[in-house]
Amino acid sequence: MALARMTRLPASAALPYALRRDNEGAAAREAALAAFLASRTRTTVGRVLEKATRVATHKRPATALKGVAATDWFRLDTKDDVTVKWYPQGLSCGSDAGLASPAAFAISWYWRPAPSVEPQRGIRVSFLNVATLRYAHVLLVEPDAAGEPVPINVHAGGLVWYKNLLYVPDTTGGLRVFDLRNLCVGGPFDYPYTLPQSDVWSCDRALGARFSFASLDRGADPVLLVSGEYLTSGTGRVVRWALDADGSLAADETGTAVPVDAYTGPGSKIQGAASYKGRWYFSQSGLAGANDRLLTTAPGEAVRERMYPKGPEDLTVWRGKSTVWTIAEKPGGRVILGVPL
C-alpha cells in the first residue's frame, strides 16, 4: 500500500467532525440512568481489578509474534483468544486515566453472533490488571425509559479511558460516554458487571465523518482526544479535541465541540492512531503475508514502517514505559503488545 505524508488540513476540514451534546434529551437520559442505578449496587474499577477471575498470559514465546520487536505482550485466556462471537477493537490504559496503581488496560469488544440465533449483546469492556494478569468483562448498556439495560449495537472500534470517563466511538454517529462512577455489579447475560451509558456526543451524519477509532494524547498540554477514519481505499483523516478538567469534551455555549486540528492520515486501512509529543503512530491492516505494520511519522515527514501482528486495532501510549500498544483482533492471535515509541 502506498503511503503519504501527513498534512495539516484547514479548519473547514474539521467541521464534519463537530460534535453536539444532546442537551434536549438530557433530562430523559438522566431519568433513565437514575432508574437504572436505583436498584443496583455500584462498584469501582479498583474492585473489579482486585476481584477479576479470568487469567491472561504474560510474555508468550517470541515466535507467536512472528518477528515483532515487542517489549511486553499479553494474551487473553483461551476462550477469549479464539471466540468468533466477540472481537476486540479498542485499547486504552491506566496511564491514560491517570491511574497509578495497579497498572491496567481496558479493551473494547463488539458482538458478532450467528444471524438470528443469539440475541444482540452489543459491546463490552475488559479491565486487565497487569500485575496479577487477572481481568474481567463489563457489559456496556444504554438504559431505556424504564431503566432497563439495552445492548448497544455499535462497532466500538476504539476506546479512551480518561479520568472517570470511557469514550467509545460510534462509527457514523459520534462518541458515546460512560461514567465509571456508575459501574454496577451484575448484569444481563450473567455478566459480572454492567456500565450504563451516561452521555452522547453526536455528529451530523449527512456530512460523512467516521469515528473508527480513538485515543488520548497525553503528550499535549492540555490533553487532547484523538479520533480518525478507517477507509478501505483513499486516505482518511485524524482529528483532535480539547478536553475540560473533568475529562469531558470542551464545548462552546451552544454545546458544540469542534476539533482543534485535523490531518490527513498516511494511507488506507488505518485501524488506530495515537499522537504523542509531536509524533504520530498508526496501525495499518490488510497487508499480504504474516504481518501488518505500525507506521510512525510527523506532519510533513516521510513515513517509517515497522512490523506488526496481523489484525492490529486501536492504539494507546503507556507513558511510564514509553511504549505504544495495540491489540490484534484475529481469533487465535489476540496479542496485546507494546513496542518502543
Side-chain angles (χ1 to χ4, degrees):
M1 297 179 186
L3 300 176
R5 295 173 188 255
M6 289 185 72
T7 302
R8 182 162 182 165
L9 295 168
S12 59
L15 292 180
Y17 277 91
L19 292 168
R20 182 178 293 276
R21 188 171 185 266
D22 180 17
N23 290 322
E24 293 183 1
R29 186 169 57 249
E30 290 167 6
L33 179 60
F36 174 88
L37 295 172
S39 61
R40 290 171 170 83
T41 301
R42 299 198 207 190
T43 188
T44 66
V45 173
R47 293 193 187 100
V48 170
L49 292 171
E50 287 174 3
K51 296 182 177 182
T53 57
R54 292 179 177 267
V55 183
T57 304
H58 187 207
K59 292 192 174 181
R60 301 280 292 187
T63 53
L65 300 179
K66 296 184 173 64
V68 179
T71 57
D72 279 303
W73 57 95
F74 303 87
R75 178 160 278 163
L76 303 179
D77 72 16
T78 300
K79 183 177 179 180
D80 288 327
D81 185 33
V82 302
T83 181
V84 294
K85 295 181 179 181
W86 287 99
Y87 281 77
Q89 298 290 297
L91 184 68
S92 193
C93 60
S95 171
D96 287 346
L99 182 69
S101 180
F105 285 107
I107 305 156
S108 68
W109 307 66
Y110 77 94
W111 172 249
R112 189 197 285 181
S116 304
V117 175
E118 297 177 90
Q120 175 60 246
R121 299 190 184 185
I123 54 177
R124 70 184 185 188
V125 167
S126 304
F127 289 98
L128 168 64
N129 186 329
V130 173
T132 65
L133 299 180
R134 301 297 177 106
Y135 69 98
H137 297 314
V138 177
L139 191 69
L140 305 188
V141 298
E142 182 176 9
D144 65 14
E148 293 301 314
V150 178
I152 301 171
N153 186 12
V154 300
H155 193 69
L159 183 67
V160 169
W161 178 12
Y162 184 51
K163 297 193 173 181
N164 289 314
L165 302 179
L166 294 182
Y167 287 90
V168 176
D170 180 342
T171 308
T172 59
L175 295 170
R176 295 175 182 249
V177 187
F178 302 80
D179 192 327
L180 289 165
R181 290 169 292 192
N182 297 328
L183 185 59
C184 294
V185 176
F189 311 111
D190 295 324
Y191 266 72
Y193 305 101
T194 307
L195 181 62
Q197 181 176 291
S198 56
D199 211 347
V200 60
W201 291 82
S202 301
C203 64
D204 184 342
R205 293 177 186 263
L207 297 179
R210 295 181 66 82
F211 294 76
S212 302
F213 46 82
S215 63
L216 195 69
D217 187 344
R218 290 299 297 265
D221 187 14
V223 173
L224 299 173
L225 187 148
V226 180
S227 83
E229 296 176 312
Y230 171 91
L231 298 178
T232 56
S233 63
T235 300
R237 295 162 288 187
V238 287
V239 297
R240 299 190 294 185
W241 283 268
L243 296 170
D244 284 332
D246 65 354
S248 60
L249 287 179
D252 62 21
E253 63 278 2
T254 70
T256 301
V258 177
V260 299
D261 55 14
Y263 299 86
T264 59
S268 61
K269 297 185 178 179
I270 299 299
Q271 299 279 9
S275 59
Y276 186 67
K277 294 185 176 180
R279 296 206 63 79
W280 285 81
Y281 304 84
F282 298 88
S283 56
Q284 187 182 47
S285 66
L287 275 68
N291 292 90
D292 284 324
R293 59 188 174 186
L294 174 68
L295 310 176
T296 61
T297 190
E301 291 186 5
V303 181
R304 291 184 291 171
E305 304 175 31
R306 297 160 70 177
M307 192 176 293
Y308 234 23
K310 292 300 290 184
E313 292 293 326
D314 204 27
L315 297 178
T316 187
V317 172
W318 189 339
R319 292 177 299 150
K321 288 182 175 287
S322 297
T323 46
V324 60
W325 292 75
T326 193
I327 183 164
E329 72 166 352
K330 301 296 184 183
R334 288 178 175 152
V335 178
I336 307 165
L337 66 94
V339 300
L341 290 169

